[in-house]
Amino acid sequence: MATTQVIIVGGGFSGTALAIHLARTSSSRLLITVVEPRASLGGGVAYSTQEPAHRINVPASRMQLSGEEQGAFDRWYRQQPECSLDSVAHCDDGSVYPQRSLFGRYLAEQFAGAAQAYPHITLRHVQASAVAWEGEQLLLSNGETLQGDVLALAISHPPPSLPRALQPFSAHPALIANPWQHGVLDAIVPESSVAIIGTGLSMADVVASLGTRQHRGPLIAFSRRGQLSRDNLSGEWPEWTLAPQDVSSARQWLQHIRAEVVRAAEHNLPWQRVLDQVRVQGQAIWQSLPLREQQRFVRHLRSWWDVHRYRIAPQVSAVINARRQQGNLKVLAARLSEISDLGNQLQITLRTRDGASEAHRLDHLIVTTGPGHEALTASQPLLQSLSQQGLIRADRLGFGIDVDSQSHTLNLSGQPNARLFVVGPAARARFGELMGLPQVADHAADVAKHILQELQIAHAERCPPSAL
Ligand SMILES: Cc1cc2nc3c(=O)[nH]c(=O)nc-3n(C[C@H](O)[C@H](O)[C@H](O)COP(=O)(O)OP(=O)(O)OC[C@H]3O[C@@H](n4cnc5c(N)ncnc54)[C@H](O)[C@@H]3O)c2cc1C
């Protein structure tokens, strides 16, 4: 009997977690192929960084492959030599915030462990990019072709999209369009003047990286609202229970959450505990909102949600606060109104929210507007190929790929494809809160379950292999 094959495109957290969950839960023989150009699995965009200043943004005890394994990464980390060598990782409350690459290494080990543990499962990594879908086959950059019973797309984070005003300067030596590119910040010398577009988590990463390069020149970070990611809470705090509420609009949710923050404060609980509960219920809240309200949320509230929900590690926060106190990091609510080419430098004019203008001469302008999810389906050849054949379509919120409630992709006319899945943040228009762990971990486990259900049905119906 031929072995059933699942192909996973992308071996970041989502693809690696899906492979491990499939291996753990399949009772039948299964060949699981993860196609990923990076040398090791698990890293993806978030955890393959080698920058020592890039840390996970929640304590290690909250990073895991599934809800049942709470604390597994924390225990693993405390046995690694890095735990005692990296004193900065340790907080006064006993929590640890390891460098992000350590979580990537942990995942690669978990994948290798799963490959050994289940004799009926073959887990393999093909180090290549998937470049097209043609004639029921996946074409790879190394010339190989793959055929499978199920294809799962685990390709969440494209590089940041270049803001329109910067497009004419895309090749300018002062512009750093993708700060995730390995080594791209190495050219920045300590005295250089730098501006960063974006004030969220990617900006925090860049400021931390500049710190390790002893940068002390003038530094500006700006975004439309100038909001910085908030700090994580330290210490043990009781959980907060959200008062039940029959709420059907984004505005009512905002009012309800604000009232809950006030109520929590009366019980001496910080707002973070309220937001943590909103996050736990985030998928249910999101799915209860009609599309119009989801669009309102994206337009008016998303940037507020992001800075409160995606908080930063205390070590990174300390670097940002120190630079602000020293006066050589200025954070502005401003938009770029003019830009001009000065040879190796760029001159920008910023218009602040109160109408003032300020001009800056820059050695480097760094784009940290976050992954360009709104352009995901056009961001690379494989997704273009699937889109052109009408097999996938962008969702209506600009978050990624349109899927149904079981994470099957929807084709151009909105029909689900039982053999083509999306796992991870690219599916979040459907599910809502699906970016950080543990929601992405739970999603990977759910998709594994749906794939196995689908394969059992397929065998009962004698579906031909690779009929996507
Ligand atoms: C910079 C950053 C830091 C984060 N830090 C944290 C944190 O500290 N804590 C937390 O809880 N969450 C964090 N998150 C969020 C969360 O962990 C990520 O959303 C999660 O890791 C998503 O992983 P992924 O595998 O879906 O996507 P990605 O990391 O984008 O991985 C996708 C992979 O697919 C591969 N790929 C893409 N196209 C192809 C192709 N055509 N063929 C083959 N392979 C392909 C890429 O090489 C990549 O490795 C962070 C996210 C980012 C972006």
Side-chain angles (χ1 to χ4, degrees):
M1 193 180 74
T3 303
T4 307
Q5 180 166 190
V6 175
I7 304 170
I8 301 170
V9 176
F13 175 79
S14 303
T16 305
L18 173 61
I20 294 171
H21 285 300
L22 284 167
R24 287 176 180 175
T25 46
S26 170
S27 53
S28 312
R29 284 174 58 193
L30 203 57
L31 167 59
I32 304 165
T33 304
V34 183
V35 182
E36 165 62 54
R38 294 175 210 264
S40 94
L41 293 183
V45 171
Y47 310 111
S48 62
T49 170
Q50 295 305 313
E51 289 280 336
H54 290 179
R55 294 186 180 273
I56 59 168
N57 54 27
V58 292
S61 57
R62 286 168 52 188
M63 304 280 286
Q64 65 258 332
L65 270 165
S66 72
E68 299 93 67
E69 291 159 82
Q70 196 120 29
F73 172 57
D74 185 271
R75 288 191 290 279
W76 176 90
Y77 177 70
R78 288 175 195 274
Q79 288 165 2
Q80 307 306 308
E82 286 82 354
C83 180
S84 44
L85 293 173
D86 181 10
S87 59
V88 179
H90 297 258
C91 294
D92 291 344
D93 64 1
S95 60
V96 281
Y97 288 76
Q99 296 175 4
R100 284 215 296 273
S101 59
L102 268 293
F103 190 60
R105 193 164 97 201
Y106 170 74
L107 294 169
E109 281 190 17
Q110 296 301 305
F111 182 87
Q116 297 290 317
Y118 306 100
H120 60 295
I121 305 290
T122 305
L123 272 172
R124 63 172 186 150
H125 170 200
V126 173
Q127 195 181 351
S129 291
V131 291
W133 176 255
E134 260 177 43
E136 307 287 304
Q137 293 189 32
L138 190 67
L139 311 190
L140 307 189
S141 54
N142 62 5
E144 271 184 56
T145 56
L146 294 175
Q147 274 193 328
D149 299 270
V150 162
L151 178 63
L153 302 173
I155 35 66
S156 304
H157 301 309
S161 305
L162 201 57
R164 196 185 303 244
L166 293 182
Q167 284 168 8
F169 301 88
S170 60
H172 194 280
L175 183 73
I176 298 178
N178 180 3
W180 296 335
Q181 236 177 319
H182 182 64
V184 79
L185 303 180
D186 292 345
I188 299 180
V189 296
E191 306 301 337
S192 53
S193 59
V194 178
I196 304 175
I197 306 186
T199 54
L201 290 180
S202 303
M203 179 281 280
D205 271 357
V206 167
V207 174
S209 298
L210 291 179
T212 58
R213 288 166 177 75
Q214 319 305 328
H215 179 261
R216 52 184 172 269
L219 180 59
I220 303 163
F222 67 95
S223 64
R224 221 152 40 96
R225 294 197 170 92
Q227 292 272 356
L228 290 177
S229 296
R230 305 304 198 258
D231 287 1
N232 254 327
L233 200 57
S234 63
E236 291 290 321
W237 294 88
E239 286 198 356
W240 179 250
T241 308
L242 284 181
Q245 188 78 14
D246 188 17
V247 165
S248 59
S249 75
R251 181 193 291 267
Q252 286 170 331
W253 265 111
L254 177 65
Q255 287 163 350
H256 181 48
I257 292 166
R258 281 185 169 152
E260 286 293 287
V261 168
V262 171
R263 202 164 67 84
E266 286 162 8
H267 291 78
N268 298 319
L269 274 186
W271 62 265
Q272 286 94 332
R273 292 314 270 155
V274 177
L275 268 278
D276 289 346
Q277 270 315 300
V278 178
R279 198 195 73 203
V280 169
Q281 297 181 26
Q283 295 199 352
I285 295 171
W286 182 253
Q287 288 166 43
S288 73
L289 294 175
L291 178 66
R292 195 187 62 250
E293 288 301 320
Q294 293 175 344
Q295 287 165 330
R296 278 200 181 128
F297 169 87
V298 173
R299 236 183 353 260
H300 303 297
L301 297 177
R302 183 187 172 186
S303 58
W304 295 90
W305 170 250
D306 284 355
V307 293
H308 288 87
R309 155 69 184 92
Y310 304 112
R311 305 199 281 265
I312 51 179
Q315 296 83 349
V316 176
S317 173
V319 174
I320 292 176
N321 291 339
R323 285 202 72 156
R324 291 186 85 188
Q325 276 159 18
Q326 289 153 13
N328 75 350
L329 167 61
K330 196 165 151 187
V331 179
L332 290 175
R335 63 179 178 79
L336 187 60
S337 68
E338 269 178 51
I339 176 160
S340 50
D341 183 346
L342 302 179
N344 281 334
Q345 293 183 313
L346 285 168
Q347 163 115 354
I348 60 168
T349 305
L350 299 179
R351 183 158 303 246
T352 60
R353 276 175 90 87
D354 53 17
S357 272
E358 42 183 87
H360 299 274
R361 201 182 169 105
L362 304 172
D363 298 309
H364 304 279
L365 176 60
I366 308 175
V367 181
T368 67
T369 46
H373 291 126
E374 71 293 343
L376 180 65
T377 52
S379 67
Q380 55 153 296
L382 173 66
L383 300 181
Q384 288 162 5
S385 158
L386 289 164
S387 301
Q388 280 155 11
Q389 294 169 66
L391 289 167
I392 61 169
R393 64 181 190 184
D395 63 65
R396 283 183 286 182
L397 295 167
F399 283 177
I401 300 173
D402 215 1
V403 296
D404 71 4
S405 59
Q406 298 191 337
S407 304
H408 300 115
T409 55
L410 299 178
N411 68 13
L412 208 50
S413 42
Q415 296 304 310
N417 186 330
R419 301 302 185 96
L420 184 54
F421 289 80
V422 175
V423 59
R428 74 192 198 285
R430 163 70 60 173
F431 296 102
E433 185 55 27
L434 182 55
M435 179 57 78
L437 309 178
Q439 282 76 23
V440 182
D442 288 346
H443 187 236
D446 274 353
V447 174
K449 193 178 75 190
H450 294 313
I451 288 176
L452 294 177
Q453 277 167 356
E454 181 56 42
L455 289 170
Q456 279 157 17
I457 294 164
H459 287 310
E461 292 175 350
R462 293 182 182 280
C463 271
S466 81
L468 281 173

